[in-house]
């Protein structure tokens, strides 16, 4: 089986699983059941993992840089074509490490921002739903369904 065939089969399998996200076995999710929900703790864990990868990769991704650069220059000076090739590979590696570092930083920062902005939005909604003033005797102080409903439209 070629790579393209295997890749197409994997994409089709994932698509089928996502279409059945409501666990009813239907290929069309029930209304509201296909929503993707991520908890703040999940965001924090993913952001923390991206930050950890960033910290580890920053030093580990560059540990062979000096030795590779020296070897490439030395081989090139001795007339070996492999010296120029090694220098080029080293430059490409540096570019790839920098790109991955930027991606990790972006993921970490974005998830931290998302977590904070979601909390701020939840706090704002909670403040809007808070009953101001005394609660009518015999009532529990709950906000009406029509008041809550306007936040879900």
């Amino acid at each position: 089986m070629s790579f393209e065939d295997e890749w197409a089969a994997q994409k089709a399998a994932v698509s089928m699983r996502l279409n059945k996200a409501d666990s009813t076995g239907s290929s069309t999710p029930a209304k509201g059941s296909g929503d993707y929900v991520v908890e703040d703790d999940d965001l924090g864990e993913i952001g923390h993992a991206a930050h950890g990868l960033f910290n580890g990769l920053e030093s580990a991704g560059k540990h062979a840089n000096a030795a590779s650069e020296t070897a490439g220059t030395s081989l090139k000076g001795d007339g070996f074509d492999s010296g120029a090739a090694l220098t080029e590979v080293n430059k490409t590696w540096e570019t790839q490490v920098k790109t991955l570092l930027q991606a990790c930083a972006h993921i970490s920062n974005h998830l931290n921002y998302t977590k904070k902005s979601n909390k701020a939005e939840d706090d704002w909604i909670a403040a809007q739903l808070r009953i101001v003033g005394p609660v009518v005797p015999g009532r529990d102080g709950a906000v009406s369904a029509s008041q809550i409903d306007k936040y879900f439209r």
Side-chain angles (χ1 to χ4, degrees):
M1 176 181 280
S2 73
F3 172 79
E4 288 80 15
D5 294 338
E6 188 175 349
W7 180 247
Q10 290 298 323
K11 285 193 319 187
V14 168
S15 175
M16 292 301 291
R17 286 196 309 258
L18 289 176
N19 285 339
K20 294 182 180 184
D22 69 339
S23 73
T24 63
S26 162
S27 63
T28 306
K31 185 173 178 156
S33 68
D35 291 343
Y36 182 68
V37 177
V38 178
E39 303 297 328
D40 281 348
D41 290 343
D42 297 332
L43 294 176
E45 287 178 26
I46 295 168
H48 181 72
H51 187 265
L53 180 59
F54 177 89
N55 287 337
L57 183 62
E58 195 167 27
S59 60
K62 299 175 184 176
H63 80 277
N65 183 36
S68 297
E69 196 172 296
T70 301
T73 303
S74 178
L75 287 167
K76 197 180 198 179
D78 290 339
F80 290 100
D81 290 340
S82 60
L86 181 58
T87 301
E88 184 63 31
V89 167
N90 191 41
K91 285 180 187 176
T92 302
W93 176 258
E94 284 183 52
T95 301
Q96 295 299 320
V97 168
K98 287 177 185 176
T99 302
L100 187 53
L101 284 169
Q102 289 174 0
C104 289
H106 180 71
I107 290 167
S108 179
N109 292 339
H110 178 72
L111 290 176
N112 285 339
Y113 170 78
T114 300
K115 187 175 177 181
K116 287 177 188 172
S117 67
N118 283 347
K119 175 150 180 28
E121 188 172 316
D122 286 347
D123 291 346
W124 181 84
I125 291 171
Q128 297 300 312
L129 295 176
R130 221 174 269 126
I131 299 236
V132 179
V135 176
V136 176
R139 298 266 180 117
D140 62 1
V143 177
S144 69
S146 61
Q147 175 87 13
I148 293 170
D149 186 54
K150 72 181 179 182
Y151 293 102
F152 294 100
R153 291 181 188 243

